[in-house]
Every structure is written in structure tokens, then in C-alpha cells.
Amino acid sequence: QMQLVESGGGSVQAGGSLRLSCTASGYTFSDNWVAWFRQAPGKQREAVATIRTNTSYTLVADPAKGRFTISQDNAKKTVYLQMNSLKADDTATYFCAGAAGSLTDSWYYSRSFPYWGQGTQVTVSS
């Protein structure tokens, strides 16, 4: 069973930066997918970025391209989301999600990830 714990959320002004961390435990870190999703009040949960931990292959959703970077530290079993040039629209609860082995569906869908963290709040003021 994969356990995921997020940290690093907070409040920042528009144009600022934050780095979120997702630390995993309870499984072998290699050959897994770890993703970041976010959910704003009244909106659906949406995919932000994902990484395949055995190859460091990454995908980033269009709203985050050029501003957000996903990376990992295998020794620490931690995946990071570096968020730059933050906008008010980025305000949301950010969740870390994990899947062992291959994804059963597109990474855009939250149903592709059976394991979830508790979320961390990011608030961007304009």
C-alpha cells in the first residue's frame, strides 16, 4: 500500500513561487507513476503534472506548462512540484496521487491513481 504525504503549500502573491513535496512510503519507489492534481472550490479535480519514477518521464498539463516543473529525488522517495509565476487561478488544494506499475487509463483522470495524499492548500493573492 502506497502512502503519500504532501507538504509545502501556503500563501503567496501573484508572480511568486512555491515548491510542493510529496513523500511516499509503503512500497518500492521504482516503476510507479506519481502525479499532482488540484481542486479549487466548486470545480472538478484536474491533473497538473505527472512523472514515471523509473524513467523520470514527465507530462505537464497545458495550464501549467512553462511555469510548473515536476521532478523527483529517488533517495528520498519524494516528488516535487516547483510552481513559478503563480496566478490567482492556481489557488486550489493540491493533491499527490500514485499508481504502481502502468496506468490503467490516461494520467489526466484521477481514477487512474488509486493512492492519494491528504492535500495541501495553495493560495495565490492578486
Side-chain angles (χ1 to χ4, degrees), residues 70-123:
I70 189 169
S71 63
Q72 63 179 350
D73 184 331
N74 285 345
K76 296 182 179 180
K77 291 189 176 182
T78 298
V79 170
Y80 303 100
L81 184 68
Q82 177 66 44
M83 304 186 294
N84 299 326
S85 302
L86 283 161
K87 308 174 183 178
D89 286 349
D90 295 319
T91 295
T93 301
Y94 283 70
F95 297 91
C96 179
S102 301
L103 293 178
T104 57
D105 204 337
S106 169
W107 76 278
Y108 281 119
Y109 302 130
S110 58
R111 63 175 178 256
S112 298
F113 297 89
Y115 305 108
W116 291 82
Q118 81 289 350
T120 186
Q121 178 66 36
V122 171
T123 302

